[in-house]
């Protein structure tokens, strides 16, 4: 069914592991490079949550004031700048957009150095905090640009029917990097003489800037195969032809009437708001709800993020057999239940729940992204920008929770995430029903296979003549502006 989840090949994991099953040959090196971007912004995000508590201690700001970091990161960077990144992507392609994102990412990280330096002996702590908020906003603009381009690029790589598996796999490295932030913080931010100053913050962010410059150099010299909007539209039209006149008519409508990415935007808004607010006040929750120090709580946050990473890899494996929408529905429902426990339980039991919820929330962002953007043809890049705008939930939820925490306590403030996970459960359930209540990825693959056959494709999902062209290496490459472009007739559905 056009516009459904990104199912895996009918042979499951066996077909993914065959040559060309996960991606076709021209995309192998670009996939490795783009996956490294997920690691880069995971590291930056892992540092963000621990800075909240550190700034509260060093600069004497309230919990509500400390959420200015999240407002800058998700509000300015993701909500305000994502449409700009999406338009740059539409006009100039993936490579130039990624380079722009890495430039902003590195610039923002470099700016942390002078701000941290002037914080020594300052008599204006709020002005110093404002400087950090500006640095965070610049870095976030770069990260939003990378998310718009990288998530979309991994999704449109060929073959299209492994998009959910591919994006989930790439996003797993985001989790690998994110737990390193709290580990670094527990050693360099909260220990010894560093507990009351920001000196080490500048050194950590200079390393972040160096990582951005290194990745930028690699993307500058490596060619990326582009997938044009015309190619995406042609593929979507073929799937719509197989799905009937209703699907075809829906694709012909303007973007404002493409309801799947719009509802997906709300879903992403809810998910990221819940995820960010869980992480932002994790250290406050642990220190107030149980007998732990800030350094110990930071270590527990890193362990929770390890669970998040493990959850990403587990869900990647499950996507080889189970429906993507079913996995999302079950995980969101479990998170809703755990959210009630977090807000109700005291002591170490509550701490255990706030750690475990990260395991079940881990798969949700990439699955929501693919469910909301795949099969939209010429609307794909705008939909990717809209879905990344949904990350702005991370700017809205933390201030609300901060106000609730200041008034009623941190534990009670966690009731905020419960309705968010309920909405995600409803969204995923609706998608599951729309996709025919398929329990397995093979069932979803069969729906797409029949649609492709109806549009003149082979049983494997690609027209026979184009498959042969790829296998024999007869696709023509043209080097233009340091990017690789493929003959459209030969590469149209690969």
């Amino acid at each position: 069914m056009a516009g459904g989840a990104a199912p895996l090949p009918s042979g499951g994991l066996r077909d993914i592991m065959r040559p060309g099953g996960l991606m076709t040959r021209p995309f192998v090196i670009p996939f490795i490079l783009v996956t490294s971007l997920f690691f880069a912004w995971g590291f930056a995000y892992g540092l963000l949550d621990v800075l909240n508590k550190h700034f509260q201690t060093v600069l004497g700001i309230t919990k509500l004031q400390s959420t200015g970091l999240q407002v800058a990161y998700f509000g300015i960077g993701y909500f305000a700048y994502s449409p700009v990144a999406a338009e740059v992507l539409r006009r100039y392609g993936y490579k130039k957009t990624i380079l722009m994102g890495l430039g902003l990412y590195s610039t923002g990280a470099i700016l942390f150095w002078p701000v941290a330096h002037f914080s020594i002996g300052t008599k204006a702590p709020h002005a110093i905090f404002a400087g950090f908020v500006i640095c965070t906003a610049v870095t976030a603009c770069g990260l939003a640009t990378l998310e718009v381009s990288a998530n979309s690029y991994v999704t449109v790589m060929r073959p299209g029917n492994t998009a959910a598996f591919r994006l989930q796999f790439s996003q797993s490295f985001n989790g690998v990097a994110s737990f390193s932030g709290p580990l670094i913080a527990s050693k360099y931010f909260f220990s010894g003489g560093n507990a009351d100053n920001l000196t080490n913050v500048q050194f950590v962010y200079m390393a972040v800037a160096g990582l951005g410059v290194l990745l930028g150099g690699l993307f500058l010299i490596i060619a990326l195969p582009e997938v044009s909007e015309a190619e995406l539209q042609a593929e979507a039209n073929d799937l719509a032809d197989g799905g009937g006149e209703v699907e075809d008519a829906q694709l012909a409508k303007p973007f404002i009437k493409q309801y799947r990415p719009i509802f997906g935007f709300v879903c992403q808004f809810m998910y990221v708001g819940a995820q960010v607010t869980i992480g932002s006040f994790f250290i406050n929750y642990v220190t107030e709800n149980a007998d732990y120090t800030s350094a110990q709580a930071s270590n527990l946050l890193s362990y929770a993020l390890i669970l998040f990473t493990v959850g990403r890899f587990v869900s990647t494996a499950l996507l080889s057999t189970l429906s993507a929408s079913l996995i999302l529905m079950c995980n969101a429902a479990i998170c809703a239940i755990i959210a009630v426990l977090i807000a109700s339980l005291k002591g170490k039991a509550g701490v255990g729940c706030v750690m475990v919820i990260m395991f079940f929330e881990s798969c949700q962002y990439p699955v929501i992204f693919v469910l909301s953007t795949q099969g939209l043809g010429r609307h794909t890049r705008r939909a990717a920008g809209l879905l990344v705008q949904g990350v702005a939930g991370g700017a809205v939820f933390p201030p609300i929770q901060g106000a609730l925490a200041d008034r009623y306590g941190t534990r009670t403030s966690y009731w905020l995430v419960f309705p968010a996970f309920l909405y995600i459960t409803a969204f995923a359930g609706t998608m599951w029903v729309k996709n025919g209540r398929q329990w397995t990825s093979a069932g979803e693959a069969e729906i797409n296979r029949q649609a492709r056959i109806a549009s003149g494709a082979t049983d494997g999902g690609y027209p026979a003549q184009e498959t042969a062209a790829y296998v024999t290496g007869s696709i023509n490459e043209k080097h233009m502006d340091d990017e690789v472009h493929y003959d459209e007739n030969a590469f149209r559905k690969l």
Side-chain angles (χ1 to χ4, degrees):
M1 177 179 293
L8 300 180
S10 57
L13 190 60
R14 173 176 53 81
D15 282 351
I16 291 173
M17 299 310 295
R18 66 176 171 79
L22 182 60
M23 75 205 69
T24 51
R25 186 173 56 195
F27 290 103
V28 174
I29 298 300
F31 176 75
I32 294 171
L33 275 179
V34 170
T35 298
S36 70
L37 297 178
F38 290 86
F39 184 91
W41 78 63
F43 184 76
Y45 176 72
L47 290 172
L48 183 68
D49 288 338
V50 296
L51 285 176
N52 274 67
K53 177 61 176 174
H54 195 44
F55 286 151
Q56 290 172 33
T57 302
V58 177
L59 299 177
I61 59 177
T62 66
K63 295 172 187 174
L64 177 58
Q65 289 171 333
S66 73
T67 62
L69 292 175
Q70 276 70 29
V71 172
Y73 190 93
F74 295 102
I76 298 175
Y78 281 84
F79 183 76
Y81 199 77
S82 289
V84 177
E87 187 62 23
V88 172
L89 177 61
R90 189 181 71 83
R91 294 189 181 191
Y92 300 106
Y94 289 100
K95 182 172 182 175
K96 292 178 180 178
T97 306
I98 289 172
L99 288 172
M100 181 182 78
L102 287 170
L104 289 169
Y105 172 76
S106 300
T107 300
I110 290 171
L111 291 176
F112 271 85
W113 179 280
V115 177
H117 178 75
F118 286 117
S119 71
I120 301 174
T122 182
K123 295 182 180 179
H126 286 81
I128 293 298
F129 181 68
F132 280 117
V133 169
I134 293 172
C135 297
T136 300
V138 175
T139 302
C141 288
L143 292 173
T145 304
L146 294 178
E147 285 228 37
V148 169
S149 51
N151 283 322
S152 175
Y153 194 52
V154 171
T155 300
V156 303
M157 285 179 177
R158 302 316 192 236
N161 60 334
T162 56
F165 185 96
R166 202 164 45 233
L167 186 57
Q168 189 73 250
F169 179 79
S170 291
Q171 287 269 359
S172 298
F173 290 90
N174 178 286
V176 170
S178 64
F179 68 75
S180 61
L183 284 175
I184 291 172
S186 66
K187 183 176 181 179
Y188 295 107
F189 292 177
F190 296 130
S191 300
N194 300 319
D196 297 318
N197 64 67
L198 301 172
T199 302
N200 281 344
V201 171
Q202 59 190 341
F203 296 107
V204 172
Y205 273 91
M206 283 302 291
V208 170
L211 176 62
V213 171
L214 175 62
L215 289 175
L218 291 174
F219 274 98
L220 192 62
I221 62 177
I222 298 296
L224 296 185
E226 285 285 341
V227 182
S228 70
E229 288 189 346
E231 292 165 350
L232 293 172
Q233 185 62 36
E235 181 185 68
N237 287 342
D238 285 337
L239 284 174
D241 289 342
E245 293 182 2
V246 175
E247 294 282 359
D248 198 24
Q250 182 62 32
L251 276 175
K253 293 180 180 179
F255 181 69
I256 192 66
K257 294 187 177 181
Q258 300 298 320
Y259 300 117
R260 182 156 49 87
I262 292 173
F263 286 116
F265 160 80
V266 178
C267 194
Q268 204 72 286
F269 183 93
M270 293 291 185
Y271 166 70
V272 176
Q275 178 199 347
V276 171
T277 207
I278 288 170
S280 298
F281 291 94
F282 182 97
I283 295 177
N284 289 103
Y285 181 92
V286 172
T287 55
E288 294 173 18
N289 211 40
D291 188 21
Y292 291 105
T293 65
S294 293
Q296 290 172 327
S298 183
N299 275 328
L300 288 175
L301 177 57
S302 68
Y303 300 150
L305 290 171
I306 290 174
L307 287 176
F308 182 94
T309 304
V310 171
R312 278 271 167 90
F313 283 107
V314 169
S315 59
T316 299
L318 289 176
L319 279 168
S320 67
T321 55
L322 298 178
S323 159
S325 52
L326 178 63
I327 290 174
L328 177 62
M329 180 176 64
C330 293
N331 278 269
I334 293 171
C335 284
I337 295 170
I338 297 176
V340 173
L341 297 176
I342 293 171
S344 304
L345 297 176
K346 296 181 180 180
K348 293 183 179 180
V351 173
C353 288
V354 82
M355 294 176 69
V356 169
I357 198 173
M358 293 195 180
F359 177 89
F360 292 101
E361 72 179 22
S362 61
C363 74
Q364 295 179 37
Y365 182 92
V367 174
I368 292 169
F369 190 93
V370 173
L371 288 175
S372 304
T373 62
Q374 196 186 35
L376 291 177
R378 62 191 173 89
H379 302 300
T380 299
R381 294 181 180 182
R382 283 195 175 95
L386 180 63
L387 263 291
V388 174
Q389 269 192 287
V391 175
V396 175
F397 276 54
I400 296 174
Q401 189 179 12
L404 292 172
D406 284 335
R407 185 175 179 87
Y408 302 107
T410 304
R411 179 169 57 84
T412 302
S413 71
Y414 271 83
W415 280 107
L416 181 64
V417 305
F418 174 68
F421 287 118
L422 282 184
Y423 178 88
I424 299 168
T425 304
F427 172 83
T430 302
M431 295 299 297
W432 183 60
V433 171
K434 184 179 179 182
N435 289 330
R437 297 185 178 89
Q438 296 296 325
W439 290 82
T440 65
S441 58
E444 288 184 343
E446 179 62 18
I447 292 175
N448 277 267
R449 187 181 71 85
Q450 294 295 340
R452 289 190 181 95
I453 290 174
S455 62
T458 66
D459 188 53
Y462 309 109
Q465 68 272 22
E466 294 182 12
T467 303
Y470 176 76
V471 172
T472 58
S474 61
I475 295 176
N476 297 319
E477 295 187 7
K478 299 177 183 179
H479 293 273
M480 300 170 60
D481 298 327
D482 295 325
E483 295 177 355
V484 179
H485 294 259
Y486 292 91
D487 182 272
E488 185 172 332
N489 293 326
F491 191 58
R492 187 175 160 201
K493 293 193 191 73
L494 284 177

